[in-house]
Amino acid sequence: MPHKELSGRVAVVGVGTTGFGKLPGWSAEDLGIWALDNALADCGLGRADIDGLIVNRIPDYQRFCQMTGLDPRFVNVTPGQGRMSGATIQIAALAVAAGMCETVALVYGNNGRTGGVKYGGASDRYGATAGGEWFAYGMTSPGAVHAMMFDRHRHEYGTTPEQLAHVAVTFREHAALNPDAVMRERISAEDYHASRFIAEPLHLFDYCLINDGGVAMILTTPERARDLARPPVHLCGFAQSSALPTSGFPPDDFWRVPMGQVATEVREMSGIGPRDLSGAMIYDNFSPTVLFTLEGFGFCPVGESGAYVAEGALALGGAMPANTSGGHLSESYMQGWALNVEAVRQLRGDCGPRQIPDAEIIQYMCAAPVVSAIVYSR
Amino acid sequence: MADIAALLPPADETNRPYREALKDGRLCLPRCDACGEFRLRASRYCPSCGGTSSRWEELSGSGRLWGRCVFHQVYFEAFRDRVPYGVVIVELEEGVRVFSNLADGIDTMQVPIGTALAAVYEPVSDEVTLLRFRPA
């Protein structure tokens, strides 16, 4: 596990987001710069203060530095997959903690909606279905993989579509309180069940929203953070694990083994477990992922996530308010980045009508072939 | 159904024996000489043990239904007139999994997970036969 002494050694000091939606004329780099400028303004730093850079989804760090004048000592680029956002934040934290840079900018830009990006069909690059070996059987898309996983969960534990509906309905309720969310019109359980199937048993509202947008985060040391404009939010636990060798097919265990490893490590590193959290940010590419995450990270017993969400646990005011921005299902699919920013905003008390009262500790989690978690605290 | 056949990646040495066997109504996959594990396509190294020697062997074609879904969304023009259609994962008794379909006329969601299945070899063009399944 990551060394315990790294707990609290790195802080998020600046966050920035663009508008989300259809933004024709904006390249991924443009969107990243827009978000970066907002994050710099947020903490009162300038581009010259940045000595570390990791870009994600933006394909070329070199071109990005040419476009911005950023002159980092430490630089990297990570694959443009949502599972990599948490992992990228962890790399940045390690770079700062190790002294390879002092102030690192994480910049994400995605023009996928305008660019017509599709996650199914000929352009499918998802691990289980990329390469086209199964296209002749009509098999494609991460959504269909998650549909099969939910079908399995239903088979093993009796989880119902009525229970699953609570995830999409609750996150839409949160999005209604978020002026930045793309989809803000409340939906009922009836609306959910009446919506069309994409890959049955999943409905339209079980799918995240592909949009254009950018997100940036600035991380530095707690010492440097003291001089900056906003209160720091500390990374007090983080870990990752994976389940890659067999990832050509959905996992038998809904990624419970790697999630259990990560849950144990972040708890040991931070001293914080599910009961200590003010809220959770759960990677919601598809709504069943939320169920798998709740079980894998120990928020409820295995097989009981359906009942847990049906009790209203994830709602503001519930046992574990989650995805208060609306998440990927209703705010925008910013591949985990905007969920991490929402964690920071909640801990600063910046969230207005969707604020979790007295939020002190929030955990981000991503269940996928690469699992990651980050515990943020004030 | 030639439009479906056209969705397959080009034939090469990693998949040609598999495809030729399907045309003969047989299921054949590379099997590691060292550890005995089957894999889905030929590769220099065995993903399970790192062994470098393997041979194509015939499988039983028997398996169990692992998972199901039904596509309502059109992702390929070739399937535009075929939605909704089912896709399944079958776990073969030799341990290998494949994505597949149940044979024509079977309602995918009416076949329970765990059902014993047997291979069906369905030609979709002169050159391509697909591996589908029916309840055993």
Side-chain angles (χ1 to χ4, degrees):
Chain A
M1 62 171 260
H3 297 305
K4 268 186 198 174
E5 58 268 28
L6 293 178
S7 180
R9 287 274 306 279
V10 178
V12 183
V13 291
V15 292
T17 47
T18 64
F20 303 135
K22 199 168 171 99
L23 300 165
W26 290 79
S27 67
E29 290 83 359
D30 292 339
L31 292 162
I33 295 168
W34 176 1
L36 173 64
D37 284 344
N38 283 348
L40 290 168
D42 182 50
C43 57
L45 290 173
R47 292 185 188 182
D49 297 308
I50 299 300
D51 66 351
L53 170 69
I54 309 180
V55 294
N56 179 257
R57 190 92 184 191
I58 293 166
D60 186 342
Y61 60 86
Q62 186 166 350
R63 177 164 164 73
F64 191 76
C65 289
Q66 292 165 354
M67 291 174 77
T68 55
L70 288 176
D71 187 19
R73 291 191 286 151
F74 174 86
V75 67
N76 211 332
V77 53
T78 52
Q81 302 165 313
R83 65 185 73 156
M84 284 294 162
S85 50
T88 302
I89 294 166
Q90 295 175 0
I91 293 169
L94 294 175
V96 170
M100 294 188 73
C101 55
E102 182 180 40
T103 304
V104 60
L106 303 175
V107 185
Y108 168 83
N110 182 353
N111 64 342
R113 182 169 176 193
T114 295
V117 166
K118 297 266 190 296
Y119 285 81
S123 61
D124 188 345
R125 297 287 179 273
Y126 188 62
T129 46
E133 205 60 46
W134 310 113
F135 290 172
Y137 298 91
M139 180 61 198
T140 181
S141 81
V145 168
H146 287 76
M148 288 182 166
M149 289 177 72
F150 180 65
D151 188 44
R152 286 284 303 186
H153 204 271
R154 195 160 65 157
H155 167 74
E156 289 190 30
Y157 305 114
T159 313
T160 67
E162 288 69 28
Q163 291 171 330
L164 183 65
H166 283 267
V167 175
V169 170
T170 301
F171 292 176
R172 183 61 62 84
E173 195 69 28
H174 295 166
L177 304 173
N178 175 11
D180 292 334
V182 171
M183 300 296 271
R184 302 190 61 200
E185 192 178 331
R186 288 180 166 85
I187 56 172
S188 65
E190 292 70 32
D191 295 330
Y192 170 88
H193 292 294
S195 71
R196 65 190 171 94
F197 283 126
I198 305 295
E200 183 184 350
L202 298 190
H203 291 264
L204 176 67
F205 291 132
D206 292 309
Y207 278 63
C208 62
L209 309 172
I210 294 172
N211 278 294
D212 303 325
V215 182
M217 301 174 74
I218 314 280
L219 276 59
T220 189
T221 62
E223 296 74 30
R224 182 85 172 95
R226 277 199 289 271
D227 306 328
L228 301 180
R230 299 301 313 277
V233 168
H234 299 280
L235 278 68
C236 52
F238 52 86
Q240 63 174 274
S241 188
S242 67
L244 293 167
T246 56
S247 59
F249 290 87
D252 286 307
D253 70 344
F254 307 92
W255 299 301
R256 269 202 299 272
V257 167
M259 280 192 279
Q261 292 167 348
V262 171
T264 300
E265 293 190 5
V266 294
R267 191 165 58 238
E268 288 183 7
M269 182 176 177
S270 64
I272 290 160
R275 276 180 300 183
D276 306 311
L277 300 176
S278 314
M281 299 297 155
I282 305 175
Y283 189 84
D284 54 339
N285 49 354
F286 306 96
S287 56
T289 310
V290 175
L291 302 187
F292 311 150
T293 305
L294 292 166
E295 295 178 12
F297 279 89
F299 288 80
C300 62
V302 170
E304 295 182 20
S305 55
Y308 183 79
V309 301
E311 286 162 10
L314 304 186
L316 280 162
M320 186 54 57
N323 297 24
T324 48
S325 58
H328 297 138
L329 297 181
S330 283
E331 186 194 43
S332 183
Y333 181 49
M334 290 290 112
Q335 299 192 277
W337 289 102
L339 285 171
N340 282 279
V341 166
E342 177 73 2
V344 171
R345 288 176 173 158
Q346 281 287 351
L347 293 169
R348 290 170 166 184
D350 286 350
C351 287
R354 67 179 195 277
Q355 179 65 45
I356 299 169
D358 304 316
E360 288 187 1
I361 306 169
I362 291 179
Q363 183 167 237
Y364 167 79
M365 292 157 281
C366 175
V370 177
V371 171
S372 61
I374 302 171
V375 178
Y376 293 99
S377 83
R378 283 205 295 219
Chain B
M1 285 192 277
D3 51 344
I4 285 182
L7 291 172
L8 277 181
D12 59 28
E13 67 280 6
T14 71
N15 57 34
R16 193 172 284 115
Y18 170 75
R19 295 187 189 182
E20 291 301 316
L22 288 185
K23 283 159 69 177
D24 297 338
R26 296 181 301 121
L27 173 58
C28 291
L29 288 172
R31 184 174 200 183
C32 176
D33 287 332
C35 73
E37 290 286 316
F38 283 94
R39 51 196 196 251
L40 281 173
R41 58 191 66 80
S43 55
R44 184 179 300 276
Y45 295 104
C46 170
S48 295
C49 76
T52 53
S53 170
S54 65
R55 70 193 67 191
W56 289 84
E57 278 192 23
E58 186 166 351
L59 289 81
S60 65
S62 299
R64 289 195 179 272
L65 182 61
W66 188 91
R68 318 165 294 183
C69 71
V70 174
F71 278 74
H72 293 253
Q73 180 83 11
V74 177
Y75 289 103
F76 302 103
E77 276 307 311
F79 283 88
R80 181 168 297 282
D81 297 329
R82 294 183 168 92
V83 289
Y85 62 89
V87 173
V88 295
I89 294 173
V90 179
E91 183 166 62
L92 298 165
E93 64 180 15
E94 292 84 358
V96 182
R97 290 181 189 176
V98 293
F99 287 104
S100 183
N101 314 113
L102 298 180
D104 277 347
I106 300 173
D107 183 343
T108 299
M109 283 304 188
Q110 294 305 313
V111 180
I113 287 173
T115 298
L117 302 174
V120 178
Y121 302 91
E122 294 193 348
V124 291
S125 73
D126 290 345
E127 286 306 308
V128 173
T129 294
L130 295 182
L131 172 66
R132 293 190 169 126
F133 291 85
R134 60 170 173 74

